[in-house]
């Protein structure tokens, strides 16, 4: 499985700089959000999540910010490294009557320049 | 656990043939998702199951596509008959309790229909 060469927005970042990736979500009823990283040849991998009752969550070198007023999510990567080069997706969970539906945004490609 | 296991990793088939993609979710997970990744549409949710029951199949493109989950450890996505526009990477993902935890992805199946 590979990320399929999507026509994606691309963020070029110098190694060591901070990266900010943005995502707009669609459903005001979404209650849980996840950022995924997809490297070539692999499926998406979990980075960090945040619930709708929070506006900020920090992990190791990553921070997610949630602005429910404008339905906006961002991922900040501190001190970007070559291994951070990948496609990043935000995903939103929408509670339906019978279950929880996880849908993805369009993705952003991050290229780290040495 | 070995994670979500998909087979085959690559499939090349002729137009009109039946294609079956397979997925083994992580043991204990009660949600299973099938996604399709293409250049044009990104990661699309096709269908998801909760406790082996299909909950939302609104993303299935047409009647040529069908998915089953006969038990908690196995699911199939079938395309019959296949068409060149079905060429994509198909991902299976599983999670525990849906909207409360992240979904784990398999490596995907790259399908090419010629």
């Amino acid at each position: 499985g590979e990320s399929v060469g999507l026509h994606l927005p691309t963020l070029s970042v110098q190694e060591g700089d901070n990266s900010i990736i943005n995502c707009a979500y669609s459903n005001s009823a979404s209650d849980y959000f996840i950022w995924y990283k997809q490297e070539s040849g692999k499926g998406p991998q979990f980075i960090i999540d945040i619930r709708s009752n929070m506006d900020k969550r920090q992990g190791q070198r990553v921070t997610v910010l949630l602005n429910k007023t404008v339905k906006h999510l961002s991922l900040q990567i501190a001190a970007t490294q070559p291994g951070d080069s990948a496609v990043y997706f935000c995903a939103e969970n929408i509670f339906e009557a019978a279950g929880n539906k996880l849908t993805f945004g369009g993705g952003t490609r991050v290229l780290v320049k040495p | 656990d070995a994670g979500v296991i998909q087979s085959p990793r690559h499939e090349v088939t002729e137009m009109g043939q039946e294609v079956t993609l397979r997925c083994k979710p992580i043991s204990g997970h009660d949600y299973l998702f099938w996604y399709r990744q293409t250049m044009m549409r990104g990661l699309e949710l096709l269908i998801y199951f909760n406790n082996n029951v299909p909950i939302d199949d609104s993303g299935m493109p047409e009647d040529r596509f069908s998915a089953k989950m006969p038990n908690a450890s196995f699911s199939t996505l079938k395309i019959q008959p296949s068409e060149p526009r079905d060429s994509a990477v198909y991902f299976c993902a599983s999670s525990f309790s849906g909207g409360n935890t992240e979904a784990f992805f398999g490596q995907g199946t790259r399908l090419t229909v010629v």
Side-chain angles (χ1 to χ4, degrees):
Chain A
E2 302 175 10
S3 61
V4 291
L6 301 168
H7 295 308
L8 297 167
T10 299
L11 177 67
S12 291
V13 183
Q14 198 71 37
E15 181 178 355
D17 287 352
N18 297 334
S19 303
I20 299 177
I21 307 164
N22 296 302
C23 175
Y25 63 93
S26 57
N27 195 320
S28 57
S30 297
D31 57 359
Y32 176 62
F33 304 88
I34 311 171
W35 278 100
Y36 282 89
K37 173 185 180 183
Q38 188 178 25
E39 298 174 282
S40 181
K42 298 182 179 179
Q45 295 175 291
F46 170 85
I47 302 173
I48 190 168
D49 59 3
I50 189 167
R51 305 194 190 287
S52 58
N53 61 352
M54 303 170 69
D55 53 23
K56 181 179 180 179
R57 189 163 190 226
Q58 289 185 289
Q60 187 178 16
R61 283 201 308 118
V62 294
T63 301
V64 55
L65 300 178
L66 174 62
N67 185 329
K68 293 181 287 295
T69 302
V70 295
K71 292 189 283 188
H72 182 267
L73 200 64
S74 68
L75 177 71
Q76 301 176 5
I77 305 173
T80 311
Q81 302 170 359
D84 296 327
S85 291
V87 177
Y88 291 80
F89 295 93
C90 66
E92 59 182 305
N93 179 79
I94 302 168
F95 177 74
E96 298 182 321
N100 291 285
K101 184 175 183 176
L102 186 67
T103 59
F104 282 75
T108 298
R109 188 182 303 280
V110 172
L111 294 176
V112 182
K113 297 177 288 186
Chain B
D1 201 310
V4 176
I5 299 173
Q6 292 186 245
S7 63
R9 287 294 307 276
H10 302 273
E11 176 80 33
V12 180
T13 190
E14 291 186 345
M15 183 174 61
Q17 296 298 306
E18 177 180 295
V19 175
T20 300
L21 311 182
R22 297 173 175 80
C23 175
K24 182 181 187 304
I26 292 172
S27 177
H29 282 188
D30 55 350
Y31 275 80
L32 185 140
F33 304 86
W34 280 102
Y35 293 89
R36 178 173 68 176
Q37 189 171 38
T38 61
M39 189 178 300
M40 296 301 296
R41 297 190 180 88
L43 264 167
E44 300 174 274
L45 176 63
L46 301 178
I47 185 172
Y48 75 96
F49 296 81
N50 179 211
N51 291 319
N52 313 338
V53 176
I55 301 300
D56 186 338
D57 65 355
S58 59
M60 297 286 261
E62 46 196 279
D63 292 345
R64 297 184 297 106
F65 286 69
S66 63
K68 293 182 180 180
M69 193 165 184
N71 57 63
S73 59
F74 184 65
S75 178
T76 59
L77 178 68
K78 187 177 293 186
I79 308 172
Q80 165 63 17
S82 58
E83 296 182 3
R85 60 195 169 111
D86 302 330
S87 298
V89 180
Y90 291 81
F91 287 103
C92 175
S94 71
S95 70
F96 179 66
S97 293
N100 293 322
T101 59
E102 73 270 23
F104 293 82
F105 280 75
Q107 292 281 64
T109 296
R110 177 175 284 277
L111 173 65
T112 303
V113 184
V114 297

